[in-house]
Amino acid sequence: MRRPGIPRVRHPATAAALLLVVLLAVPSALSTYWIIVLTAVTIYSVVALGLGLLMGRVGLVSLGQIAILALGAWVAAKLAFATSMPFPLVLLIAGTITMVLGTLVGLPALRLSGLYLALITLMLAGAITVVLATTNFPNGGPGFLGHTESSFGNPAVRRPDIATTDLAYFRYTVIVAALMFALVFWHVRSRPGRAWAAIRQSEPAALAAGVNITTYKLWAWALASFVTGVAGGLLAGSVGKLYTYQFPTRDSLILLAVVLMGGIYNLWGAVVAGALMKLLPALLDNWGLPPDLLIILFGVGVLQVLLTAPGGLAAQVPKDLARLGRTLVALSGRRAPEGDTR
Amino acid sequence: MRRNGVFVRLTLVLVASTALAACNSNKSPGSTTDSTTAPKCGAGTGQKATGEPIKLGAIATKQPGTDFTDIPNMAKAFFDCVNDNGGINGRPIQYLIETEQTDPGQVAALAKKLVESDKVLGIVGNTSIIECAVNHGYYEQQGFYIIDSGIAPECYSTPNSAAVNMGPRYSVDGATQYLIRQGVKKLVLDQSNVPGTGYIEGGFLLIAKDAGIPTESLKDNVPIQDANSVALKAVQAAGKDGGVVLNFTPPEALKILQAAQQQGLQDSVKWACSTPCNTDYLAEALGPQWNGKLGVNAELNLTTAAGPDSELYRAVQKRYAPNIPLGSFSQMGFVEASIAVKALMSVSGEFTAKSVNEAIKNIKDFKTDILCKPWYYGNAPLHIPNNTDRTVVPQDGKMIEKEGCFPISEVDPAIAQVRQIEAAG
Amino acid sequence: MPEWQNFQPFIVSGLALGGVYSLSGVGMVVLYRTTGVLNLAFGAVGAMGAFIAWSLVNTYGWPEALAYLVCVGFGAVISLVYGILAGPPLAGRDPLVKAAATIGLALILLGAMSWIWSDKARSLVLPTTTWRYSVGEVFINWTQIIALALGVLVTLATAAFLRRTGLGTAMRALANDREITAALGVPVRRVEAITWLVSGALAGAAGLLLSNLVGLDAATLTFLVISSLAAALIARLRSLVVTLLAGIVIGLVNAMVTPIFSISSYRDMTPFVLAAVALLFLSRHQQISFARRNR
């Protein structure tokens, strides 16, 4: 994993324009079905952002992010039912509590690294999944666990007052997601980002340069947990009813696959990852293809990225497009295309 | 670069071979397409329908570990047969089946897609772990009356859903009643730890209490990795002369039953199972050790039953869906489709979502030899039209009937309420 | 708290479960010791082999013994192909990357299994499962004994092989540093190929046994590796004997918690909790990492 580098916003205008398009133009062109799909894409982009931050910037792999997402959703649901806090506050607190829990987990685990860290996050995720399966998600019931087995009338997690329709909630989600991306971007561009880059390059060198490795690793871990917790809150509001089915172990592996495929060195990669995870299944269903095909494609994608294109799609597609452009130009000029600069 | 090429080729080979395997996998040796006697469905004209299609939709769960698509697929087979026989007044039925992976957002989106984008006129054949819970409010808002094979509690407790099956709670009730008739001294319910266990055990507890039998309620996470312990635990809890009711999907139930058999426990207690166990696949996998020892609550008649509807079911399966096994899933799909066709045939005037759903709601007295009692919809706060069941047991690789139709106990309050509604009109 | 005699049968079932975890754990650690790759697709490979065997027997009417051989052979071949294609390019990379790549293989196999064999109640019953004898009031069948014995056999054989034979030494050197090993004249590709082949055959055999002990179900068998990983992690991916013992302990604890109804529903956490606790305890003084010298 050789690519350091602090990103510049090459085209801040492009990013802003894209955001406006997504907020305004896109929704009116789509049916409710696709809007709900895109809401899911946005939410999982934020989750992918967290994992991409850990993997791409600091070099840590966590296989338990879906469990963290479930925790965030749990906290948000509990707060939404038990209190009448405004929704942004619910998101904020859910994110903070998730951040604290994630940091507690990260504290002892960060003495491990590499494969060990990844495996222990898998173990912890497994433990959390079993606990959630046994205690269930809050659905308005009494007590700390907030779960009641009453058969009907289960309320849905409330949405913010300004965004109760699917369309409005989509816009709300996009804005919150943009804030999360901005938060991470700001981190990456300033001191933590430089420290992370140093750590990923070489831990001993960073240590020698006076970087407090543990602090910065924890900071990254906390940040990733925070954004994932907020995503969990958004998810709770989006789907309304939470079940353990939404957070299977399989999804942690698929998340890893799509984050790798999307590209971990580029914040756009997180958006690609979210689209791979939630848009592609909807498209395949639309075209009548089996969802199992997707799992196979993700497996191939992981292998492809690890074996040949570490930058993932977000880095590869511009290169491929550039190469395609050169080839087209060369063909139209009836000259041999220039050699690949790789 | 060379590696890139390898990978592209490898992917293509992989996907192609998997697709080939998938297409060929369900071909059982010796299957022939019967071209002699084509079954007559619906209008029975033998002419292909060619008018403007009437759209219907369905949502079913399909993910690794849970696959309910046999139900809508069999419904589609029946619709195909009807379309080959004149359709609905000459118009074919176009059936859109959506699959979901128990993601509530996706499930909600699919309902909106069917109703608002695809503009289906009716929804028939839904079989999903969470669909009723997530979408019932939307259907009530849109005035859609769903004919489904229910699983979630809301399928049986809301006005816009009527199921051809009984669902886990009432099926467990039926299995419990069977065990009580077998004279057990203690009852244990073991079910998969998925949301809704409290609802499912509700009826079990009431019926056992009414019979004065002590109970124990157990839950196990699925997929089960340690079936031996699960079987042992259930048998220990039941004790001597005890009975165990299982409520799991067939693969999980099979794990437990096989572990019990390996431990020689099939004779230690009386075993019963809710309706998912009612499949010849399971009977075959269990083997002769279990002959007569597992009482399965059967919401539908045996697949081998005599009677014109059962015969039509088998004929349609053979001709239009040979890859779907005979069993309660495909029977449910067949019955739901039959009801839908009857409703469609009763529509006079234009086919709109309103007229079709009105016709569905007005279904009354739908008789079929696959169900114990006539099926109905009607205007009511809840619907449990199938509330009379049989008990079947495995025998030499097949399920055979042990107890004929018996009513589910009215100790369960919802059943009492439904019987009152039935009596009133 | 239940009485002692209620616990007794769970000791036996716990040992059987322990055999399951040990077999998978040992299979993964063996490959790790010899190639540096933690094969997270171990379960998926075995599962697919078992499904193929099931299809051969039930759909095409092949004799059972032949189908089982195909299962083992399938495991061997698919692992070999993977090892040849993905081994060399990843050789110099972090063990984490190598393990992540096997996740790719696991996903491919899982998707393929899901597609080809849709979810039905299937069972593949080895003849050894029907031979059983009683221990107290519980029965043990020969498949459970074979699983445990196979785990022990592989542990002992691999330990001896790695230490005593030339090929074994070559494999250890390979796992340690591929480039130097190649420079020393060891036929690196051939050694790797043999390792993957044998490991794959073991995965296939394990798949057959596990399909009997746990069930013929794609998702269960594939994700069983996560629980088995706990045993491997407690051994810090190094000692085969510790993996074996850890697997048995995990199985025992998991089963013994079953009759304690107050915590029984949490018993599936056992592998994870034990692994997390053991790992954090073992690493309390040191920094454990697998970082390569140059990334």
Side-chain angles (χ1 to χ4, degrees):
Chain A
M1 310 215 176
R2 302 171 296 270
R3 218 79 53 86
I6 315 294
R8 293 162 288 124
V9 179
R10 258 183 276 246
H11 305 281
T14 319
L18 199 59
L19 191 62
L20 277 176
V21 166
V22 168
L23 277 176
L24 299 176
V26 163
S28 41
L30 296 175
S31 64
T32 317
Y33 172 67
W34 290 107
I35 291 183
I36 298 180
V37 170
L38 286 182
T39 312
V41 169
T42 316
I43 293 173
Y44 279 84
S45 295
V46 177
V47 183
L49 179 69
L51 184 57
L53 168 72
L54 287 175
M55 286 173 68
R57 303 286 154 198
V58 196
L60 303 170
V61 173
S62 160
L63 290 177
Q65 291 304 101
I66 296 291
I68 307 275
L69 180 67
L71 275 180
W74 195 101
V75 174
K78 182 69 195 156
L79 288 173
F81 283 124
T83 69
S84 45
M85 274 189 239
F87 200 76
L89 202 53
V90 169
L91 288 181
L92 206 57
I93 298 186
T96 310
I97 294 182
T98 314
M99 177 177 79
V100 169
L101 289 173
T103 316
L104 283 176
V105 161
L107 207 48
L110 283 174
R111 269 181 287 120
L112 315 167
S113 63
L115 185 57
Y116 264 155
L117 179 65
L119 292 178
I120 207 162
T121 55
L122 192 57
M123 297 288 113
L124 291 167
I128 294 175
T129 308
V130 174
V131 172
L132 278 176
T134 311
T135 57
N136 281 305
F137 280 91
N139 61 356
F144 177 71
L145 292 181
H147 182 83
T148 168
E149 285 282 357
S150 78
S151 54
F152 28 93
N154 272 349
V157 174
R158 63 180 158 91
R159 288 182 175 176
D161 293 327
I162 52 167
T164 46
T165 66
D166 291 324
L167 180 53
Y169 196 75
F170 168 67
R171 292 194 170 120
Y172 190 90
T173 306
V174 170
I175 293 177
V176 175
L179 287 173
M180 293 297 111
F181 271 81
L183 180 67
V184 170
F185 183 74
W186 175 68
H187 271 83
V188 170
R189 280 207 70 184
S190 52
R191 194 158 50 113
R194 290 191 289 274
W196 294 333
I199 294 175
R200 201 188 59 233
Q201 266 295 82
S202 159
E203 274 192 40
L207 198 56
V211 174
N212 188 335
I213 297 193
T214 316
T215 307
Y216 280 104
K217 276 188 178 177
L218 268 179
W219 195 338
W221 203 267
L223 182 59
S225 305
F226 177 76
V227 301
T228 310
V230 170
L234 287 172
L235 185 64
S238 161
V239 304
K241 295 185 196 275
L242 293 165
Y243 299 90
T244 45
Y245 308 115
Q246 289 159 271
F247 309 101
T249 315
R250 184 180 71 241
D251 269 9
S252 278
L253 301 183
I254 292 184
L255 184 69
L256 179 74
V258 297
V259 165
L260 280 174
M261 288 164 75
I264 53 179
Y265 297 116
N266 189 324
L267 291 188
W268 290 112
V271 179
V272 176
L276 285 173
M277 192 155 181
K278 289 290 165 186
L279 182 60
L280 214 47
L283 285 175
L284 251 77
D285 173 68
N286 212 29
W287 297 329
L289 295 169
D292 317 305
L293 181 61
L294 207 54
I295 302 184
I296 298 179
L297 283 177
F298 287 156
V300 174
V302 168
L303 286 172
Q304 225 274 358
V305 167
L306 292 178
L307 288 174
T308 60
L313 284 171
Q316 195 64 17
V317 169
K319 274 200 277 179
D320 282 341
L321 287 177
R323 190 152 54 100
L324 183 66
R326 281 201 303 276
T327 316
L328 287 174
V329 164
L331 281 175
S332 65
R334 288 179 200 272
R335 273 173 316 173
E338 297 175 22
D340 243 64
T341 48
R342 228 194 252 199
Chain B
M1 248 222 318
R2 185 176 142 263
R3 287 192 210 120
N4 260 329
V6 166
F7 258 101
V8 168
R9 273 177 273 148
L10 198 64
T11 317
L12 288 174
V13 167
L14 214 82
V15 172
S17 49
T18 311
L20 262 171
C23 291
N24 283 330
S25 68
N26 290 322
K27 194 161 47 180
S28 41
S31 69
T32 52
T33 44
D34 187 17
S35 55
T36 47
T37 43
K40 296 234 179 272
C41 313
T45 63
Q47 308 275 15
K48 257 186 130 52
T50 50
E52 189 197 325
I54 298 175
K55 286 198 206 172
L56 297 176
I59 300 176
T61 306
K62 180 176 181 3
Q63 64 182 8
T66 309
D67 185 358
F68 296 138
T69 50
D70 274 355
I71 298 177
N73 282 341
M74 184 66 193
K76 177 157 195 312
F78 184 72
F79 290 144
D80 287 342
C81 180
V82 167
N83 290 347
D84 279 349
N85 279 281
I88 310 288
N89 300 339
R91 294 176 64 177
I93 297 174
Q94 188 185 6
Y95 192 43
L96 303 163
I97 304 175
E98 297 288 354
T99 57
E100 48 93 354
Q101 286 78 48
T102 53
D103 178 350
Q106 178 195 30
V107 169
L110 286 173
K112 296 188 178 160
K113 175 172 189 273
L114 284 176
V115 171
E116 295 170 25
S117 309
D118 297 323
K119 306 227 191 299
V120 298
L121 303 181
I123 295 183
V124 168
N126 281 6
T127 317
S128 157
I129 304 177
I130 57 176
E131 204 266 332
C132 291
V134 174
N135 287 330
H136 75 91
Y138 176 69
Y139 293 139
E140 285 154 28
Q141 207 185 63
Q142 298 284 331
F144 266 69
Y145 290 89
I146 315 298
I147 304 175
D148 51 39
S149 357
I151 302 173
E154 285 80 356
C155 303
Y156 301 95
S157 57
T158 58
N160 286 45
S161 160
V164 299
N165 61 338
M166 284 201 318
R169 173 169 170 141
Y170 308 113
S171 183
V172 164
D173 285 355
T176 310
Q177 288 170 253
Y178 160 78
L179 279 183
I180 295 178
R181 284 193 282 272
Q182 301 294 308
V184 297
K185 301 272 192 310
K186 185 170 175 193
L187 277 167
V188 171
L189 171 64
D190 195 0
Q191 45 178 336
S192 50
N193 186 15
V194 294
T197 49
Y199 159 76
I200 293 173
E201 72 183 6
F204 163 81
L205 292 172
L206 287 169
I207 294 178
K209 183 160 167 212
D210 183 66
I213 300 180
T215 61
E216 187 119 34
S217 253
L218 304 173
K219 293 192 263 269
D220 282 297
N221 289 328
V222 286
I224 296 176
Q225 286 185 358
D226 182 17
N228 284 316
S229 296
V230 172
L232 275 171
K233 178 179 65 159
V235 169
Q236 253 186 19
K240 196 162 177 303
D241 296 326
V244 175
V245 180
L246 295 176
N247 184 34
F248 290 89
T249 56
E252 300 298 325
L254 181 61
K255 287 181 194 172
I256 301 175
L257 293 169
Q258 280 188 320
Q261 180 197 321
Q262 285 165 15
Q263 300 289 318
L265 296 172
Q266 71 265 35
D267 296 309
S268 309
V269 297
K270 297 263 190 287
W271 295 88
C273 187
S274 57
T275 209
C277 289
N278 180 17
T279 147
D280 280 345
Y281 243 107
L282 189 74
E284 209 179 307
L286 282 177
Q289 308 257 17
W290 280 96
N291 280 353
K293 297 199 178 137
L294 176 70
V296 179
N297 177 264
E299 304 165 325
L300 307 162
N301 206 345
L302 293 171
T303 55
T304 49
D309 300 298
S310 298
E311 278 166 17
L312 183 59
Y313 157 70
R314 288 190 291 270
V316 168
Q317 184 266 356
K318 187 165 179 190
R319 179 71 194 272
Y320 292 92
N323 289 335
I324 301 181
L326 293 173
S328 54
F329 278 12
S330 51
Q331 280 176 306
M332 285 187 230
F334 176 82
V335 172
E336 291 172 63
S338 312
I339 298 173
V341 166
K342 177 167 181 193
L344 286 173
M345 296 251 193
S346 75
V347 171
S348 53
E350 260 210 74
F351 281 89
T352 62
K354 189 158 190 285
S355 63
V356 168
N357 279 294
E358 191 71 28
I360 292 177
K361 189 174 60 141
N362 289 335
I363 291 272
K364 223 186 218 257
D365 209 36
F366 179 89
K367 294 198 179 67
T368 163
D369 47 71
I370 299 181
L371 294 172
C372 275
K373 265 173 49 184
W375 198 88
Y376 60 92
Y377 210 120
N379 225 341
L382 77 166
H383 304 272
I384 313 175
N386 183 352
N387 52 59
T388 312
D389 274 8
R390 303 175 163 85
T391 304
V392 298
V393 293
Q395 184 76 29
D396 299 321
K398 291 212 170 299
M399 289 295 185
I400 63 169
E401 184 171 301
K402 175 139 183 201
E403 292 180 339
C405 295
F406 66 89
I408 302 297
S409 169
E410 283 180 24
V411 171
D412 197 327
I415 299 281
Q417 187 181 4
V418 163
R419 297 260 162 79
Q420 272 174 5
I421 296 174
E422 284 173 13
Chain C
M1 208 44 185
E3 308 152 9
W4 171 242
Q5 70 194 69
N6 281 355
F7 275 109
Q8 264 183 322
F10 291 101
I11 298 179
V12 177
S13 78
L15 284 174
L17 184 64
V20 166
Y21 290 149
S22 295
L23 184 58
S24 303
V26 164
M28 287 192 286
V29 174
V30 162
L31 187 68
Y32 185 77
R33 291 276 305 273
T34 48
T35 58
V37 179
L38 183 65
N39 186 7
L40 296 170
F42 187 85
V45 168
M48 188 139 187
F51 270 99
I52 292 179
W54 183 93
S55 275
L56 289 176
V57 170
N58 288 62
T59 315
Y60 297 104
W62 282 33
E64 285 179 357
L66 198 54
Y68 301 151
L69 274 178
V70 169
C71 170
V72 173
F74 172 81
V77 166
I78 250 232
S79 303
L80 182 66
V81 168
Y82 177 81
I84 291 180
L85 284 181
L90 292 176
R93 310 279 291 272
D94 202 84
L96 177 57
V97 174
K98 294 195 258 197
T102 62
I103 292 181
L105 178 63
L107 286 175
I108 293 176
L109 292 174
L110 186 61
M113 280 190 282
S114 234
W115 196 359
I116 302 176
W117 293 277
S118 59
D119 180 57
K120 304 249 185 307
R122 291 188 181 81
S123 88
L124 184 68
V125 181
L126 295 170
T128 50
T129 311
T130 55
W131 309 334
R132 61 179 198 198
Y133 63 99
S134 62
V135 170
E137 49 172 69
V138 188
F139 283 100
I140 314 183
N141 65 56
W142 272 92
T143 309
Q144 291 167 327
I145 297 175
I146 292 179
L148 204 49
L150 187 60
V152 172
L153 183 68
V154 169
T155 306
L156 296 176
T158 312
F161 174 76
L162 286 179
R163 210 165 296 158
R164 309 257 170 93
T165 68
L167 189 58
T169 315
M171 286 183 182
R172 279 185 359 209
L174 207 79
N176 213 1
D177 194 316
R178 197 170 186 271
E179 282 150 26
I180 294 187
T181 312
L184 288 174
V186 176
V188 162
R189 293 204 172 212
R190 205 182 322 152
V191 173
E192 264 181 356
I194 295 176
T195 312
W196 280 99
L197 196 72
V198 172
S199 159
L202 182 60
L208 264 185
L209 295 169
L210 292 175
S211 69
N212 267 243
L213 299 174
V214 175
L216 186 55
D217 179 57
T220 313
L221 289 174
T222 303
F223 293 113
L224 194 58
V225 294
I226 300 181
S227 307
S228 316
L229 264 180
L233 274 178
I234 293 178
R236 290 198 273 177
L237 300 177
R238 277 212 299 265
S239 164
L240 288 168
V241 175
V242 175
T243 310
L244 189 72
L245 292 173
I248 294 179
V249 168
I250 293 176
L252 269 174
V253 173
N254 192 326
M256 301 271 274
V257 171
T258 314
I260 308 176
F261 286 155
S262 48
I263 49 174
S264 183
S265 359
Y266 294 99
R267 72 177 188 279
D268 286 334
M269 276 170 79
T270 310
F272 311 131
V273 169
L274 289 181
V277 165
L279 209 57
L280 294 174
F281 177 75
L282 289 171
S283 69
R284 67 192 182 284
H285 292 312
Q286 330 140 3
Q287 173 119 359
I288 304 185
S289 79
F290 282 95
R292 308 291 289 182
R293 303 165 319 238
N294 40 335
R295 296 272 189 93

